[in-house]
Amino acid sequence: MMNHTSPRMPTSRKGMTYMPGFEALVQSMRGIFERQYYTEHGPLVRQLEQELIASTGAAHAVCVTNEFVALLMLLNTLPDRAEIIVPALAPAWIHKALSDWFPSLSISAYDLDPLTLQLDLQSLLDAVRPNTRAVLVVNNWAGAAPMVALRRELEPRGVQVFAESTSSFGQTSSGQGIGSLGTAELFSLHHSNVFSAIEGAFISTNDADLADALRTMRSSSGVVRTMPVKKTVNGRMSEAHAAFAHLSLQQQPCLRELLLKQRKVYVESLNGISGLSLLMPWGVDAPAPSGDIVCRISESEFGCTGQELTRRLATAGYDARHNMALSPRATSGDWPGAHSILRDTVLLPMGARYSDQEINAAACAVRAVSLSR
Amino acid sequence: MLKQSLADLAIFGGAREFEDPKPISNLPRPSFETFCEYLEIAYANGQLTGGGELVARLERRLAEFHDVEHCVAFSSGFWALAAVMKTLSREGRSEIVMPSLTYRRMADIAGWAGLKPRFCEVDPATMTNTATCVLPCLNDDTAMIVGVHPINGLADIGGLVELASARGLPLVFDSVESVYECFHGERIGRFGRAEVFSLGASKLLNGFEGGYVTTRSDEVAESLRQTLLTPTTSLAEGSVKFNAILSEVHAAMALACLDDIDSQVIRNKGRYFAYKSGLRGLRGVRLLEFDESDRPGYKNIIVEVMPEWPLSRDDTIAVLNAEMILARAYYPQPLHARKMGFPHIPCSLPTTERLATRFALLPCGELVTPADISRICDLLQFLSKNGEAAKDRLAKRQTT
């Protein structure tokens, strides 16, 4: 039985959900009303793209409606019936995007490394076949896969390396900006992320042809060179969302500091719990917390699996789900890394509107589970 | 400024008629204070996206506006129509019947939905795909019929509803251009299995970006809501999913515009009558008049370039564009004539191909005043008198 008196965090409030000062947002919106330029690659979107180029070190940044649309656009550049290799364990929406919207693509999977929480390089390389045209890497929890090594191996074989890099925004790996390492990289700007546009996303790439193809697909405005594309979309980001992104970008140093502070509270509060390790991101030059506190649970020492801890925290009102799911291509076969991460990983809640007291309360709830075994 | 000679035309080096562009987009601007009041509600709730109070309120108000039971909001009309096509098309079939003379991305939406467009003709008088136009395209592989309301007027609602019912086919309407209109006293939004609307900034309701679907069916509404991905969607949920959420900020804008819609229509009507007056007696350019019985929104202005007009439609547009009068072809290229990177049924549509060279949209909306319209009409009068000479000069430019 849980025994803590601290307030509970509502389960619906997970994520950064940063809210700038209302007056600052109103000021941005006033500018949009004065210009009467509401969408169609307006000045705020154009300026945001330039800032994202500077942040990532990539040559191009294409702002779009949201990350789901961004992934659809990227997959739309692949030939029909091409093969793409995806992580055996990835955010559920990625698997849904592939299965629901690209039935003609052939999908296979690669395993993850439970120590780094990133891709298992050998597993990925073993999965590559003559028809493979792309791999999708997910840079999990502010870490980074070995993208340079991967591209060196795969591009001579005609395989593009796409990466989902939301949680690693602002980081570098081997001295290069995350966003500039893959053939193309996706970043969600959903409100739950540290850097947010409320709804939105961007795709970064150094490939001018790919960037122009994405712009051609996205909308009629902002097209530099018209490229042949299989289908277009409405992939526009509005000026309103771009305005919010600018405010969020300005707040990044403060938000990162808040994350560090919340991490410190967790470190102190969870200290000494047997079988629980707080993990730092792997593969980046200066590991820093993203919007998640990632824990590995050792069942034999802690007393239950990470999945069981997640369930028990949910009962107590704390959302510790990682929302990762096994690829439908990984429901049979041997995926030890993916299964290990699925079973053992817990994300503890944190965000812009959680107080130290609330963070402490979540930590107490974890400690209560460990004591109750 | 009145043009005196050909040399005064901007396309031949003269000064532009307007410094600021005059677009064909509606771009309604509601009260900023009203918008901020709505935004403050979202702020107080601490929720800026993910199905908040403003989206719920917008859906209720739009359902009321269209006199239907349900409204489901999406991030854009594009994705709203994709959701409708994917979820409501008849299972086991692959063709979708739609006109070719319509929104330039309509076929692409079908491509995303995994359906093959089969294009039908339009009626030359109404420029819509009537039941007569659709019938020859139906077969055992037809999954859905899309009726499209044109920019001016309404689709053949009665005929299409009867045809779809007789054939047991789902009928949906692209009603993006007919938000305000009525059919026999009933609001557009009540017909077919579902109707799709846009909240893009160029439309009658500006939500920055956005779209919505109206339906009278509980089942249709529920299946559309099921398509919307949430952060906790699990793979166990079998229905098609995608992220097409409308944010609270966009809902705030759409609500503020909805508050102002009647005033906006009055302003649009003023612009329409300014064109009607300014183009009266102009030989060779025919204004497509609104049918008042449809209760139109007067959103867009379409003219037909007649055979006696001295310039081609496209040359006329080029001359106007040089003056910062951003007229556009309606529609520049029919869908069946485009290159498509997905399966579709090739066809030849002579009526559509002929109509596609004749119509143009003239500037309208909040950035265009009646005084601007007067100047645009004066320019057209000038072209009427000097068009042959302009045509010769343009032809010489193209050959040198």
Side-chain angles (χ1 to χ4, degrees):
Chain A
M1 177 90 156
M2 304 265 193
N3 183 18
H4 55 89
T5 55
S6 306
R8 292 177 180 185
M9 284 185 262
T11 54
S12 62
R13 217 173 52 165
K14 188 170 182 179
M16 207 60 193
T17 57
Y18 157 69
M19 306 282 279
F22 186 67
E23 278 314 310
L25 187 60
V26 165
Q27 208 46 40
S28 295
M29 295 297 162
R30 192 186 306 278
I32 296 171
F33 271 64
E34 281 166 6
R35 289 185 294 274
Q36 290 182 273
Y37 202 140
Y38 305 103
T39 186
E40 283 287 3
H41 207 239
L44 293 177
V45 169
R46 294 196 295 270
Q47 186 189 347
L48 181 62
E49 288 179 342
Q50 291 307 307
E51 288 179 18
L52 294 171
I53 285 168
S55 297
T56 58
H60 306 273
V62 180
C63 286
V64 296
T65 309
N66 59 49
E67 199 181 18
F68 196 99
V69 171
L71 181 59
L72 296 191
M73 290 168 66
L74 211 48
L75 295 173
N76 192 41
T77 63
L78 297 176
D80 289 339
R81 285 172 285 283
E83 185 182 85
I84 181 167
I85 314 176
V86 303
L89 188 73
W93 71 267
I94 289 178
H95 302 309
K96 285 299 274 176
L98 283 159
S99 61
D100 291 351
W101 296 85
F102 288 91
S104 73
L105 286 180
S106 174
I107 303 166
S108 58
Y110 64 86
D111 204 2
L112 301 183
D113 182 337
L115 293 176
T116 65
L117 304 182
Q118 309 302 328
L119 60 84
D120 176 333
L121 183 60
Q122 196 53 56
S123 172
L124 195 162
L125 293 175
D126 288 346
V128 176
R129 292 197 291 235
N131 195 35
T132 304
R133 285 293 164 265
V135 303
L136 177 64
V137 169
V138 178
N139 285 322
N140 289 314
W141 301 313
M147 299 286 283
V148 173
L150 205 51
R151 287 184 72 180
R152 198 164 44 229
E153 273 289 335
L154 295 180
E155 278 180 351
R157 294 154 78 172
V159 180
Q160 298 181 91
V161 179
F162 299 149
E164 198 295 319
S165 301
T166 300
S167 64
S168 313
F169 175 75
Q171 297 287 350
T172 60
S173 180
S174 303
Q176 284 184 260
I178 301 289
S180 67
L181 294 165
T183 312
E185 300 196 39
L186 303 166
F187 295 83
S188 168
L189 299 177
H190 184 263
H191 199 217
S192 57
N193 296 307
V194 181
F195 172 38
S196 146
I198 304 177
E199 289 282 349
F202 72 96
I203 306 167
S204 61
T205 182
N206 294 325
D207 184 330
D209 287 349
L210 179 57
D212 283 334
L214 294 169
R215 292 180 186 117
T216 302
M217 256 185 252
R218 173 181 58 179
S219 65
S220 39
S221 296
V223 177
V224 177
R225 259 185 315 160
T226 302
M227 301 289 278
V229 296
K230 288 190 288 183
K231 299 187 283 285
T232 63
V233 298
N234 178 344
R236 295 188 290 259
M237 175 187 280
S238 74
E239 287 289 277
H241 289 163
F244 193 93
H246 284 293
L247 293 172
S248 174
L249 206 47
Q250 284 163 19
Q251 288 303 310
Q252 289 303 294
C254 292
L255 293 174
R256 302 277 170 188
E257 230 180 87
L258 174 69
L259 290 174
L260 271 170
K261 193 173 159 229
Q262 290 183 346
R263 185 181 173 85
K264 250 189 184 154
V265 172
Y266 272 119
V267 167
E268 283 162 13
S269 307
L270 296 173
N271 186 34
I273 296 180
S274 183
L276 184 151
S277 318
L278 285 181
L279 303 179
M280 284 299 279
W282 185 92
V284 290
D285 295 333
S290 64
D292 302 302
I293 294 285
V294 187
C295 304
R296 181 183 298 123
I297 302 297
S298 162
E299 183 184 5
S300 56
E301 293 171 56
F302 186 83
C304 67
T305 63
Q307 281 171 317
E308 178 58 23
L309 172 60
T310 302
R311 272 192 290 273
R312 294 177 73 177
L313 288 173
T315 309
Y318 300 101
D319 184 355
R321 289 171 296 181
H322 51 59
N323 294 324
M324 301 284 262
L326 283 173
S327 163
R329 298 295 183 277
T331 49
S332 61
D334 198 18
W335 308 98
H339 282 286
S340 166
I341 294 169
L342 192 61
R343 185 189 60 235
D344 299 339
T345 308
V346 172
L347 297 191
L348 295 178
M350 62 195 298
R353 287 176 291 147
Y354 294 149
S355 65
D356 286 0
Q357 195 187 15
E358 286 170 320
I359 299 288
N360 240 317
C364 287
V366 174
R367 192 174 282 280
V369 172
S370 82
L371 291 174
S372 69
R373 69 178 189 270
Chain B
M1 143 211 351
L2 279 174
K3 307 285 183 183
Q4 304 290 334
S5 70
L6 280 190
D8 292 337
L9 287 173
I11 200 165
F12 299 132
R16 293 189 292 219
E17 181 66 31
F18 295 99
E19 275 313 304
D20 297 323
K22 299 297 167 186
I24 59 165
S25 297
N26 204 34
L27 304 175
R29 181 170 64 176
S31 153
F32 183 66
E33 286 67 35
T34 305
F35 166 68
C36 290
E37 279 165 18
Y38 283 119
L39 198 59
E40 202 161 12
I41 295 171
Y43 245 70
N45 292 339
Q47 185 170 5
L48 296 181
T49 190
E53 182 184 330
L54 295 185
V55 169
R57 197 188 286 205
L58 178 66
E59 288 177 340
R60 277 196 306 274
R61 287 212 30 213
L62 288 170
E64 208 175 277
F65 180 84
H66 290 284
D67 194 22
V68 294
E69 284 75 354
H70 303 281
C71 170
V72 183
F74 288 84
S75 58
S76 66
F78 184 104
W79 293 112
L81 190 49
V84 162
M85 287 183 182
K86 238 172 150 45
T87 54
L88 302 185
S89 56
R90 198 156 144 181
E91 219 169 311
R93 296 182 174 203
S94 68
E95 289 186 15
I96 181 166
V97 177
M98 60 176 64
S100 172
L101 195 70
T102 188
Y103 169 51
R104 66 185 184 281
R105 299 182 199 271
M106 175 84 76
D108 289 6
I109 299 174
W112 282 106
L115 295 168
K116 279 184 289 197
R118 183 181 281 273
F119 302 104
C120 62
E121 280 284 20
V122 293
D123 176 273
T126 61
M127 294 208 286
T128 73
N129 57 328
T130 60
T132 309
C133 299
V134 167
L135 183 59
C137 295
L138 301 183
N139 57 47
D140 291 340
D141 199 23
T142 304
M144 177 176 275
I145 300 170
V146 181
V148 179
H149 295 299
I151 280 180
N152 183 314
L154 293 176
D156 173 24
I157 296 173
L160 288 172
V161 165
E162 200 180 308
L163 177 62
S165 173
R167 292 297 187 102
L169 290 170
L171 168 67
V172 301
F173 285 98
D174 173 352
S175 304
V176 166
E177 305 296 352
S178 299
V179 170
Y180 203 75
E181 276 73 353
C182 286
F183 173 67
H184 294 170
E186 286 192 80
R187 296 269 190 156
I188 295 302
R190 288 173 58 81
F191 304 98
R193 291 279 277 158
E195 299 206 37
V196 180
F197 300 84
S198 170
L199 296 171
S202 62
K203 304 296 184 278
L204 199 69
L205 288 172
N206 173 5
F208 292 106
E209 290 282 345
Y212 62 96
V213 181
T214 58
T215 181
R216 305 201 60 196
S217 159
D218 297 347
E219 183 202 338
V220 167
E222 185 52 30
S223 63
L224 289 171
R225 288 192 192 286
Q226 286 295 320
T227 64
L228 292 169
L229 204 71
T230 69
T232 55
T233 292
S234 90
L235 286 186
E237 297 177 45
S239 56
V240 164
K241 298 284 190 190
F242 65 133
N243 181 352
I245 298 281
L246 185 74
S247 76
E248 292 287 279
V249 177
H250 287 184
M253 184 68 165
L255 282 164
C257 274
L258 192 52
D259 289 348
D260 186 53
I261 195 170
D262 293 331
S263 308
Q264 195 209 138
V265 169
I266 291 170
R267 295 192 293 276
N268 287 349
K269 191 173 179 179
R271 284 183 276 267
Y272 165 70
F273 277 99
Y275 271 110
K276 200 169 175 183
S277 164
L279 295 175
R280 191 171 293 128
L282 182 64
R283 239 181 129 246
V285 169
R286 179 177 75 92
L287 175 70
L288 266 63
E289 298 196 5
F290 287 102
D291 181 346
E292 308 282 337
S293 69
D294 290 342
R295 203 187 78 135
Y298 303 97
K299 184 170 75 67
N300 288 100
I301 304 297
I302 312 181
V303 294
E304 181 181 7
V305 178
M306 311 291 285
E308 57 268 35
W309 183 252
L311 294 166
S312 70
R313 190 267 315 265
D314 290 348
D315 279 350
T316 304
I317 287 173
V319 169
L320 294 175
N321 287 175
E323 307 285 348
M324 298 292 262
I325 300 167
L326 302 186
R328 292 283 182 262
Y330 173 70
Y331 286 95
Q333 190 184 26
L335 298 181
H336 75 281
R338 288 173 174 247
K339 209 167 163 193
M340 281 170 269
F342 49 89
H344 61 281
I345 315 296
C347 61
S348 163
L349 299 173
T351 302
T352 294
E353 286 156 23
R354 181 173 52 83
L355 291 171
T357 63
R358 300 243 303 268
F359 293 88
L361 292 161
L362 293 182
C364 61
E366 295 294 307
L367 269 60
V368 178
T369 66
D372 294 336
I373 292 167
S374 180
R375 289 164 67 181
I376 292 168
C377 293
D378 286 345
L379 184 58
L380 287 168
Q381 293 281 1
F382 175 83
L383 282 180
S384 167
K385 296 184 180 98
N386 297 276
E388 289 296 340
K391 182 174 151 187
D392 290 341
R393 196 151 157 183
L394 283 169
K396 278 197 189 107
R397 254 175 39 151
Q398 275 153 21
T399 54
T400 55

